[in-house]
Amino acid sequence: MWKFTVRRILIMIPQIILLSVLVFIMAKMMPGDALSGMVDPNVDPERLDEIRENLGWNDPWHIQYADWVGGVFQGDLGQSFRFKMPVTEIIGQRIVNTFWLSVATLVFTYLISIPLGITSGRYNDSLLDQAITSYTYIGFATPLFIFALVMLWVFGFMLGWFPTSGSVAPGLEPGTFEYVMSKIYHLILPAFSMALITTVNTVQYLRSEIIDTKQKDFILTARAKGASESRVYNRHILRNSLLPIAAFFGFEITGLIGGTVFVENIFGYPGMGQLFLESITLRDYSVVTSVVLLFGIASILGALLSDIILSLVDPRIRIK
Amino acid sequence: MTKTSLSKLLFAIMLVMLLALAACGGDDSESENADSGNNDSTNEESGADEEGLFSIDDFSNIKTNEGEAIDGGSFTYGLVSDTAFEGTLNWNFYSGNPDAEIIQWFDEPLLTWDETYVYTQDGAATYELDGNTVTFTIRDNVNWHDGEPVTAEDFAFAHEVIGHPDYDGIRYGTDFTNIEGMEAYHEGEADSISGIEVIDEKTIAITYKEVTPSLLSGSLWTYPLAKHIFEDIPVAEMSSSDAVRKNPIGFGPFEVDEIVPGESVTFTKNEDYWRGEPNLDEVTVKVVSPTTVVNELESGGVDTVSSFPTDQYPDNADLENVEFLGNVDRAFTYMGFKLGTWDADAGEVVPDPNAKMANKNLRQAMWHAVDNDAVADNFYHGLRWNATTLIPPSHPEFHDESNPGRTYDVDKANELLDEAGYEDVDGDGMRENPEGEELVINFASMSGGDTAEPIANYYIQSWENVGLKVELVDGRLMEFNSFYDRVEADDPDIDIYQGAWGVGIDIDPRSLWGNSVSNYTRWTSEESERLLAEGVSDAAFDLEYRQEVYNEWQELMVEEVPAFPTLYRSVVVPVNNRVVNYGIGDGTGIYLNELGVTQEDPIVAE
């Protein structure tokens, strides 16, 4: 087990290095920089050139990369040009929001998917099952960015039940009860919108897993022993069917990253996803590279987590 | 076993590729349909759009007061932006416009200006110009929010910080190098700036190298920096310090209460404000996405917004809980011809007499060939309108109303082209250049918004009507960054480009049309240089003389056409009916301490 985990982690290192090189080169290959298009009559173009020179933007990419990597190893992700503050600090501000958004989304996802999956699997091919399956197919087919907009319009503007932008109401003292409540209130709609879409995978997995397990011999044995139907489902089938779902958890994290990019932009929710898109359009290189690197590491870690859980659950797939 | 799984894999890959291909194909045909659809609708509309037009003349830039202001109250200002604000909350360090929208609530310049953009004596300081020296006297009751007086030292300190070699902002430029001794200080050769002299606690004299009429309209730096707070912070770290980001300070009507980074800022009133205690108790500034502005306004979520997307105006013109204010924007859209290159070493524009667009007749004809009024009416419902000269009407003193520019006249365009020898020799309906070679003009235009593509296509079609073959560079619109990258670098693939330019409060056109790196057309002539220099000469302190010079320059540009303006713009801003004492634009004489509301809650649309 340990051997497997260590080996799996060792493989990650070259992956991350390759990722960082790719990310850095691609960021630098984007046309323009943070100052291009700044045709402001109050700004002297010579000053812009001076800034470019001072910040080393005119150096060849490998020199800039070396500078950057040197900093990264010391925990310094560089200075954001746009925000005029260390990237670690700006990411620190944003990652908290995204973290809670992701947690809320995961909670909603499992709250929705587990009951739906169980019902659907237990009463498969019934009318109820067909309804749930239709929902999952519609969910598969609906792009998140359209769905989130519709949710925003219906629940945010038409019904006015939820706030329409931001992560907290203006003017509240951080740390107070109202502040926390306001944070949660702002989270619900974006998290729920995302959960309704991401949940469909899990529902389907759970459904087919339960149907599969239902036909296993040991269930027959359990029934033959005279176990009650609810005991068969809760103790025997569910336990066995949930294992692959647990393994899927790591990949869920990867999926969330893609989701937050859309959802945060639609709900004006200042998290990593919004920061990512903004810094690309505004060419804030140090932020782009750091955010993408973090996303990449999160995905790799997610995959690692899944592998480890899977190997715990199912010893057959452990790599020798 | 292996064989079957391999063939299955192959099948799966084929399926994916099929889907990808289908998706690509679908995309193409879709966008083509969208194009033709747009063109169709343009044609249909042009017949029946007499009624749906608006005119900026019908708007006021001052809010009508409906009722008495209550004592206190709170006000919400929507900062319309699809990005979070940066949070560099100090005039001396900020660079993005969203930050400026926030800073204006708690800090202000020492000098204010009137509607002709000349500094007045009504601000927090008064000034006096004597020879090359401007003496500023800060009013006695002007204090920072922490109670410390705003002093001459603070003002000098702002100059020392911006001129410092470690300063990382974008404000250092010609306004500063114009101060005696500034360059030596910036290079690190001097410890202080010889041109700045602090006379007493509230008086300071600054000597400039060159005094032009521009100096008194926007070319002075008028923002002090609180020395008692910033003096211990190294210059390089100032912009990221807490004094800028978390506890920003100013001497404006409101004090910063709470900042949610990137989202919102709340303010409470500054009772000690030098113009008098503000009416409002609280102000909230929050970021609002351009897509949800209208909903926020309807629901009273914001009282007014920093900017309103003009294309959403026609659908919302009769929104009942707000009044729309309007003003002529200090900006215009233009078509520029690439006529040379920028010599970075020599720092000058080098016109190329052999450039593809070097023929004056060709450029004049291209202006005559386009009907900007049709573009303005169809795409902007009259909220943009045909532009005539390169000085926009936002500067009524210098914009030459009597100059009609070049009007839409296809016959004239054809005539000009025939005269210059651009004739169709091979009979394909398109003109060849005077040497008889095929002429393809490459047009660069930026993407953005729903109308960018149909407008670009409209222009291309208009030129086709006079027999000129114009194609989009690379066959598509360019993304903002690559557009400027390539235009700035004088990419030889670009012959003509559509750009937009915001005009400073100072009218001096040298920065865009003179010998400057921002002169993207790379066109200049002795005559133009002479006029531009005269416009800022000593004689130009006489307003009438300056007007004459600029009228002459506008006429020269209409004759030479290195670029032609296409559309002038307006801004419209909705304001909730409960708001009193509010205005947009410059020199309204209404200050934020007078801003008030007539009832506790915003009026909501039914």
Side-chain angles (χ1 to χ4, degrees):
Chain A
M1 179 62 219
W2 282 111
K3 215 167 154 191
F4 165 73
T5 311
V6 169
R7 192 180 301 164
R8 190 65 187 69
I9 289 173
L10 283 179
I11 295 173
M12 273 174 57
I13 295 171
Q15 279 179 331
I16 290 174
I17 293 175
L18 187 69
L19 177 76
S20 76
V21 176
L22 281 179
V23 163
F24 194 84
I25 295 179
M26 290 210 272
K28 288 290 168 187
M29 267 168 60
M30 291 192 294
D33 59 36
L35 292 170
S36 60
M38 196 165 239
V39 275
D40 181 333
N42 299 319
V43 175
D44 195 342
E46 280 163 36
R47 172 67 190 159
L48 301 185
D49 283 339
E50 197 180 356
I51 292 176
R52 285 192 178 106
E53 194 57 46
N54 288 346
L55 294 176
W57 292 353
N58 296 332
D59 296 342
W61 75 267
H62 54 270
I63 293 181
Q64 294 189 43
Y65 179 74
D67 283 351
W68 180 65
V69 166
V72 169
F73 277 113
Q74 294 156 27
D76 174 17
L77 292 172
Q79 187 87 4
S80 157
F81 179 76
R82 178 164 163 253
F83 289 93
K84 301 271 190 304
M85 61 200 276
V87 176
T88 38
E89 204 177 322
I90 178 89
I91 287 183
Q93 274 175 11
R94 302 296 190 90
I95 208 166
V96 182
N97 283 337
T98 301
F99 176 75
W100 288 116
L101 180 64
S102 309
V103 168
T105 310
L106 280 178
V107 169
F108 279 128
T109 306
Y110 288 116
L111 277 183
I112 300 167
S113 61
I114 292 178
L116 286 191
I118 292 174
T119 326
S120 185
R122 181 166 178 176
Y123 306 107
N124 63 318
D125 299 330
S126 69
L127 206 64
L128 195 63
D129 170 46
Q130 278 165 2
I132 293 171
T133 322
S134 324
Y135 156 67
T136 59
Y137 283 131
I138 294 172
F140 271 126
T142 313
L144 178 58
F145 49 92
I146 305 277
F147 183 71
L149 265 183
V150 173
M151 291 288 281
L152 176 64
W153 183 67
V154 173
F155 293 103
F157 288 111
M158 237 170 62
L159 299 172
W161 291 353
F162 293 100
T164 50
S165 74
S167 72
V168 66
L172 295 175
E173 187 93 20
T176 59
F177 179 69
E178 280 95 20
Y179 182 84
V180 176
M181 286 318 282
S182 170
K183 277 252 172 196
I184 295 175
Y185 188 35
H186 280 75
L187 261 180
I188 296 175
L189 190 58
F192 194 64
S193 310
M194 196 148 70
L196 277 180
I197 296 293
T198 51
T199 197
V200 296
N201 287 316
T202 321
V203 174
Q204 289 257 345
Y205 270 97
L206 198 56
R207 175 180 180 270
S208 54
E209 204 58 48
I210 288 179
I211 296 176
D212 214 33
T213 323
K214 265 199 318 201
Q215 287 145 9
K216 292 270 167 65
D217 290 343
F218 70 92
I219 300 297
L220 210 65
T221 318
R223 286 227 173 86
K225 276 195 316 194
S228 72
E229 198 64 356
S230 68
R231 191 183 160 86
V232 168
Y233 271 97
N234 294 340
R235 294 293 295 271
H236 298 280
I237 298 185
L238 191 59
R239 274 207 183 168
N240 283 292
S241 310
L242 277 181
L243 293 179
I245 303 297
F248 195 62
F249 177 77
F251 292 111
E252 202 81 51
I253 294 175
T254 323
L256 279 178
I257 292 170
T260 50
V261 174
F262 292 120
V263 165
E264 285 178 6
N265 277 290
I266 287 166
F267 289 92
Y269 188 86
M272 296 286 280
Q274 202 196 34
L275 183 68
F276 169 68
L277 216 64
E278 272 175 32
S279 46
I280 288 182
T281 45
L282 297 165
R283 302 290 187 267
D284 201 348
Y285 296 126
S286 45
V287 179
V288 178
T289 44
S290 310
V291 172
V292 177
L293 194 67
L294 279 183
F295 279 172
I297 292 176
S299 308
I300 293 174
L301 282 179
L304 174 73
L305 199 65
S306 279
D307 281 358
I308 292 176
I309 297 178
L310 215 62
S311 69
L312 283 175
V313 172
D314 188 351
R316 279 172 304 181
I317 62 154
R318 263 178 229 167
I319 308 165
K320 289 276 151 55
Chain B
M1 190 69 199
T2 0
K3 216 173 178 184
T4 41
S5 68
L6 197 71
S7 65
K8 265 185 190 162
L9 187 73
L10 210 67
F11 177 70
I13 291 174
M14 294 297 278
L15 206 66
V16 169
M17 284 173 73
L18 188 75
L19 279 174
L21 279 176
C24 292
D27 232 35
D28 276 356
S29 63
E30 236 169 72
S31 60
E32 269 161 35
N33 287 341
D35 287 357
S36 54
N38 276 325
N39 291 340
D40 287 346
S41 65
T42 327
N43 294 339
E44 278 161 30
E45 266 171 37
S46 51
D49 60 19
E50 291 307 311
E51 280 165 17
L53 294 186
F54 304 96
S55 164
I56 195 61
D57 300 333
D58 303 337
F59 289 88
S60 162
N61 67 334
I62 312 268
K63 170 82 172 62
T64 342
N65 292 349
E66 295 169 22
E68 286 287 305
I70 55 166
D71 209 20
S74 63
F75 181 88
T76 314
Y77 185 77
L79 174 55
V80 179
S81 164
D82 45 16
T83 57
F85 65 86
E86 287 88 346
T88 316
L89 300 178
N90 189 300
W91 289 121
N92 296 285
F93 303 105
Y94 89 99
S95 54
N97 203 42
D99 281 348
E101 297 280 354
I102 294 169
I103 306 172
Q104 61 164 345
W105 293 93
F106 70 87
D107 201 6
E108 58 183 41
L110 286 175
L111 301 178
T112 54
W113 52 81
D114 59 16
E115 66 266 30
T116 61
Y117 311 109
V118 176
Y119 291 124
T120 63
Q121 307 290 358
D122 305 332
T126 55
Y127 72 98
E128 205 178 323
L129 175 68
D130 180 24
N132 275 10
T133 305
V134 180
T135 310
F136 299 85
T137 310
I138 302 167
R139 287 177 208 274
D140 287 335
N141 58 350
V142 180
N143 297 322
W144 296 107
H145 291 154
D146 59 6
E148 294 285 323
V150 176
T151 62
E153 277 292 338
D154 292 328
F155 194 37
F157 186 59
H159 286 85
E160 284 161 14
V161 167
I162 294 179
H164 196 281
D166 291 344
Y167 171 71
D168 60 356
I170 57 172
R171 299 294 147 191
Y172 185 77
T174 45
D175 290 358
F176 288 90
T177 48
N178 191 22
I179 296 170
E180 288 281 352
M182 182 58 99
E183 276 169 298
Y185 174 75
H186 182 67
E187 301 297 328
E189 291 158 16
D191 293 337
S192 61
I193 305 157
S194 59
I196 297 182
E197 188 195 348
V198 176
I199 295 168
D200 61 38
E201 202 202 348
K202 290 280 189 180
T203 321
I204 181 170
I206 301 181
T207 308
Y208 296 89
K209 287 183 200 156
E210 201 183 287
V211 173
T212 69
S214 293
L215 188 68
L216 298 184
S217 74
S219 296
L220 296 175
W221 187 251
T222 55
Y223 301 101
L225 183 65
K227 190 171 182 178
H228 62 281
I229 292 175
F230 283 92
E231 117 190 282
D232 299 329
I233 307 173
V235 174
E237 288 163 26
M238 281 184 183
S239 61
S240 54
S241 67
D242 284 357
V244 166
R245 312 200 62 93
K246 292 189 180 142
N247 314 304
I249 193 170
F251 58 91
F254 297 94
E255 293 175 27
V256 175
D257 186 34
E258 201 73 58
I259 300 175
V260 183
E263 283 184 51
S264 63
V265 180
T266 44
F267 301 93
T268 48
K269 71 175 167 187
N270 169 16
E271 286 170 20
D272 189 33
Y273 182 53
W274 68 274
R275 275 187 217 274
E277 191 181 324
N279 264 334
L280 293 168
D281 287 336
E282 271 177 6
V283 171
T284 303
V285 177
K286 66 172 185 181
V287 175
V288 173
S289 147
T291 48
T292 56
V293 180
V294 174
N295 305 86
E296 289 280 5
L297 286 161
E298 276 178 340
S299 64
V302 293
D303 284 299
T304 185
V305 290
S306 57
S307 67
F308 187 78
T310 324
D311 52 353
Q312 292 184 27
Y313 176 72
D315 291 336
N316 297 294
D318 27 286
L319 212 60
E320 59 202 5
N321 63 332
V322 298
E323 176 184 339
F324 276 92
L325 307 183
N327 205 9
V328 178
D329 199 2
R330 285 199 316 243
F332 60 90
T333 321
Y334 70 96
M335 292 280 178
F337 296 94
K338 275 294 193 185
L339 298 167
T341 49
W342 170 253
D343 182 346
D345 296 330
E348 57 182 29
V349 167
V350 188
D352 172 12
N354 301 317
K356 196 189 278 180
M357 308 311 291
N359 191 308
K360 193 162 84 180
N361 278 34
L362 175 63
R363 303 196 301 262
Q364 291 173 342
M366 284 182 84
W367 189 350
H368 280 299
V370 297
D371 185 1
N372 288 316
D373 270 325
V375 176
D377 294 351
N378 284 316
F379 293 107
Y380 299 105
H381 304 272
L383 290 172
R384 291 188 185 177
W385 58 98
N386 178 39
T388 51
T389 74
L390 290 177
I391 294 183
S394 54
H395 292 72
E397 283 184 303
F398 299 109
H399 169 67
D400 187 0
E401 287 252 353
S402 63
N403 190 333
R406 289 186 182 271
T407 48
Y408 175 53
D409 187 344
V410 175
D411 295 336
K412 183 82 183 287
N414 280 320
E415 202 177 295
L416 283 164
L417 288 170
D418 288 341
E419 189 187 296
Y422 287 91
E423 275 167 10
D424 178 17
V425 283
D426 59 7
D428 62 352
M430 290 293 156
R431 293 171 189 273
E432 274 68 49
N433 70 9
E435 285 78 44
E437 293 154 7
E438 196 191 8
L439 176 72
V440 179
I441 298 165
N442 298 308
F443 175 38
S445 190
M446 251 184 282
S447 60
D450 300 336
T451 51
E453 182 140 16
I455 290 179
N457 284 334
Y458 171 79
Y459 283 120
I460 292 176
Q461 242 171 30
S462 305
W463 289 319
E464 199 183 302
N465 288 342
V466 296
L468 292 172
K469 187 168 183 183
V470 180
E471 284 175 357
L472 283 176
V473 177
D474 299 341
R476 59 188 152 89
L477 298 178
M478 276 184 214
E479 183 261 349
F480 174 85
N481 280 288
S482 42
F483 176 85
Y484 276 107
D485 234 28
R486 294 175 70 172
V487 170
E488 270 170 33
D490 301 325
D491 188 324
D493 289 341
I494 299 175
D495 301 316
I496 174 168
Y497 66 94
Q498 179 175 227
W501 180 245
V503 187
I505 64 170
D506 170 27
I507 191 55
D508 179 9
R510 282 182 302 178
S511 53
L512 186 60
W513 310 109
N515 208 348
S516 143
V517 65
S518 313
N519 178 355
Y520 296 139
T521 65
R522 312 297 185 219
W523 176 90
T524 183
S525 76
E526 271 175 35
E527 177 73 356
S528 170
E529 286 296 316
R530 179 184 67 80
L531 288 169
L532 290 177
E534 267 175 34
V536 289
S537 63
D538 282 347
F541 275 102
D542 176 31
L543 183 66
E544 238 169 78
Y545 175 80
R546 201 177 185 204
Q547 281 169 340
E548 252 170 58
V549 171
Y550 283 140
N551 285 354
E552 212 179 307
W553 180 78
Q554 288 170 69
E555 183 52 40
L556 176 76
M557 297 306 263
V558 170
E559 173 60 27
E560 292 288 340
V561 205
F564 64 87
T566 53
L567 297 173
Y568 291 144
R569 303 171 171 208
S570 58
V571 277
V572 286
V573 170
V575 185
N576 194 286
N577 286 336
R578 72 164 178 153
V579 176
V580 295
N581 299 331
Y582 188 71
I584 57 169
D586 300 280
T588 53
I590 302 174
Y591 300 103
L592 289 175
N593 62 322
E594 300 161 40
L595 180 65
V597 288
T598 57
Q599 58 182 66
E600 284 290 343
D601 297 309
I603 299 168
V604 177
E606 276 161 28

